[in-house]
Amino acid sequence: MTTTTYVPIASRVRAEVETLLPRLEAFSRDLYLHPELGYREFRSVEAFVAELAASGIQVERGTGGIPTAFTAQLGSRTSGPQVAITAEYDALPGVGHGCGHNVIAASSLGAFLALAPLFEGEDALPGGVTLIGTPAEEGGGGKELLIQAGAFDGYDAAVMVHPGGHDVAAGPSAAKRQVVATFRGRTAHAAANPHLGRNALDGAVTAYQAIAQLRQHILSTDRVHGVFLEGGTRPNIVPERAVLEFFLRSRTIEGVLALSERVEASFRGAALAAGVEVDIAWDDEPIYLPHRINATLAERYAAALADRREVLPVQWVADAVGSSDIGNVSHLLPTIQPIVAIGDPAIPGHSRERADSTQTPDGVRAIADSAIGLAITAADVLVDSDLRAAAWADFREHGAAVRVGDLVPLAPWPDFPAPPEPVATPTIHPFTPGAHHA
């Protein structure tokens, strides 16, 4: 049965977000000033805990056995429709929050807190909403590990946003794999008796060049990019060991698996040509799957913000895209990750300029609008059975659910860093306009 309560829900959500905005702005700034790498986001988690506690909401830490993952719950987790709001909060080495995860975190927190009052009273929302803190998106695949731990089971939808150059209801992300090729030769004096050696670096260089040639014959949206990790010790010693690491990306699961076969053939052919051995290790970190677009939910998000932003349609895509572990979630249940515009569209991702843009008035507006869009979409999923049915029908049009373990052997779980002693509880103060942007 279709709900008729969309408009009053939207009005209440907007009012709640406006009230929360000073807190959300201060929270985003706190994460911006204290960036933490994947699986080391201990202070960031404490910041979430502090904000949720201020609203009387308890947090379950260590979700799925991951120290910097967490969940918080509104409503019932055991009955009625269920929505997950996911939050990212890891940063990048050297550039801090150059992917805007502080805005993601603040938007998801804001949407969750804005929904809290709607679970009270006679007209309370049905079912439940879970805030899932997902670490290590930039490397480490926190969402994939949470999937393996069952943390995403039983939801009707998952929602989050991501900063970018344009407002887009839904855009693609690419599948991503990681491979390390270790070439093993035999040392010899490079001047006196090089004929007795077998040059591992020659194998690695030949492989690199073979993959460079391969780039001419792959789809324009595929990507193969790599680096030399090792290449020998001294010029007068024939290198007995050389190591390459590559990332492979494709818009489809089938594409990244086919690309994997061609890259592996390049490694093995290069080793044969150089007379050396090669060990090929795939997926030291979890595979990221491409985003399965759910137009039904994306269009509902865009409609929720129609009077605040002009959101480009679902079919708008860019030629080159990155990868995210939210793609893994999108192959299990209806999922959206709209793009929210902040600043000049020419600002590159993974840059200090992108991090700084989150601390502008435009960045604050992005938090408010994203929180409103996510909260309204989540509430509508809970109260609108027709929307849920349409979202699941949209999901199934793209095929059955897919788990990484159905495709390739799962990557090993990492050894999680221990928290520092003690972990300080952040004191977050409302943002003061005109304050220095560190």
Side-chain angles (χ1 to χ4, degrees):
M1 178 175 184
T2 303
T3 180
T4 58
T5 59
Y6 177 84
V7 172
I9 286 176
S11 298
R12 292 179 66 185
V13 162
R14 293 178 186 211
E16 290 293 335
V17 170
E18 291 302 325
T19 299
L20 291 164
L21 191 56
R23 287 172 58 186
L24 301 177
E25 185 177 359
F27 175 81
S28 171
R29 180 169 175 79
D30 183 71
L31 266 61
Y32 163 83
L33 292 172
H34 303 93
E36 297 173 300
L37 302 183
Y39 296 128
R40 299 179 182 275
E41 313 98 325
F42 298 104
R43 190 186 188 283
S44 299
V45 170
E46 292 301 325
F48 272 104
V49 170
E51 284 300 311
L52 291 164
S55 294
I57 299 171
Q58 293 185 334
V59 172
E60 176 190 311
R61 304 169 186 255
T63 302
I66 304 171
T68 54
F70 69 88
T71 58
Q73 185 67 40
L74 298 174
S76 171
R77 181 67 180 97
T78 58
S79 64
Q82 301 291 322
V83 176
I85 300 176
T86 64
E88 296 173 2
Y89 35 90
D90 61 319
L92 292 156
V95 297
H97 279 291
C99 209
H101 287 195
N102 54 320
V103 167
I104 297 173
S107 300
S108 294
L109 175 66
F112 185 77
L113 292 177
L115 288 170
L118 278 69
F119 281 90
E120 302 170 355
E122 294 183 357
D123 59 346
L125 291 173
V129 171
T130 309
L131 178 65
I132 305 180
T134 63
E137 186 276 333
E138 293 294 355
K143 293 186 191 64
E144 170 58 28
L145 299 191
L146 286 166
I147 287 170
Q148 294 175 29
F152 281 97
D153 293 348
Y155 290 98
D156 293 285
V159 300
M160 65 172 289
V161 299
H162 199 291
H166 303 274
D167 288 297
V168 186
S173 68
K176 186 195 82 172
R177 294 192 76 180
Q178 174 195 39
V179 61
V180 175
T182 302
F183 293 84
R184 303 183 188 280
R186 186 167 66 239
T187 59
H189 195 296
N193 46 24
H195 59 287
L196 298 179
R198 294 294 181 266
N199 195 321
L201 180 58
D202 283 348
V205 169
T206 301
Y208 191 94
Q209 293 297 336
I211 293 170
Q213 294 171 23
L214 174 64
R215 291 192 183 101
Q216 302 177 57
H217 307 289
I218 62 177
L219 295 172
S220 63
T221 51
D222 285 356
R223 295 288 184 270
V224 187
H225 40 104
V227 295
F228 285 81
L229 299 181
E230 297 181 38
T233 55
R234 290 181 60 85
N236 62 344
I237 304 172
V238 174
E240 67 174 343
R241 177 183 166 95
V243 183
L244 292 173
E245 181 179 16
F246 274 84
F247 285 178
L248 287 64
R249 303 179 198 260
S250 181
R251 289 284 181 89
T252 66
I253 293 172
E254 296 78 12
V256 78
L257 294 177
L259 192 57
S260 301
E261 292 179 2
R262 299 175 74 182
V263 167
E264 181 158 335
S266 296
F267 291 146
R268 297 198 183 281
L272 181 63
V276 299
E277 303 294 325
V278 63
D279 298 324
I280 301 171
W282 287 97
D283 307 320
D284 185 53
E285 295 182 354
I287 289 182
Y288 286 12
L289 299 182
H291 195 97
R292 182 183 286 194
I293 300 296
N294 194 284
T296 301
L297 292 183
E299 289 166 359
R300 186 57 62 96
Y301 170 89
L305 293 179
D307 62 340
R308 302 176 71 95
R309 287 177 180 263
E310 182 180 356
V311 181
L312 294 170
V314 169
Q315 61 266 30
W316 185 90
V317 298
D319 289 336
V321 296
S323 306
S324 172
D325 56 4
I326 193 66
N328 300 39
V329 178
S330 76
H331 282 269
L332 297 179
L333 66 149
T335 302
I336 58 170
Q337 187 192 45
I339 306 301
V340 60
I342 300 178
D344 189 334
I347 296 175
H350 289 198
S351 68
R352 294 182 182 88
E353 292 80 8
R354 171 56 69 208
D356 291 343
S357 74
T358 69
Q359 299 304 296
T360 65
D362 205 23
V364 176
R365 186 171 74 92
I367 294 170
D369 291 350
S370 298
I372 288 169
L374 292 178
I376 291 174
T377 303
D380 221 28
V381 168
L382 296 182
V383 300
D384 190 341
S385 59
D386 288 348
L387 176 63
R388 294 195 300 275
W392 275 110
D394 191 338
F395 175 87
R396 294 185 180 105
E397 282 183 8
H398 299 278
V402 177
R403 293 178 180 268
V404 170
D406 299 332
L407 306 170
V408 297
L410 293 173
W413 278 46
D415 294 324
F416 299 114
E421 294 291 346
V423 178
T425 300
T427 301
I428 303 174
H429 301 287
F431 178 70
T432 302
H436 174 63
H437 291 172

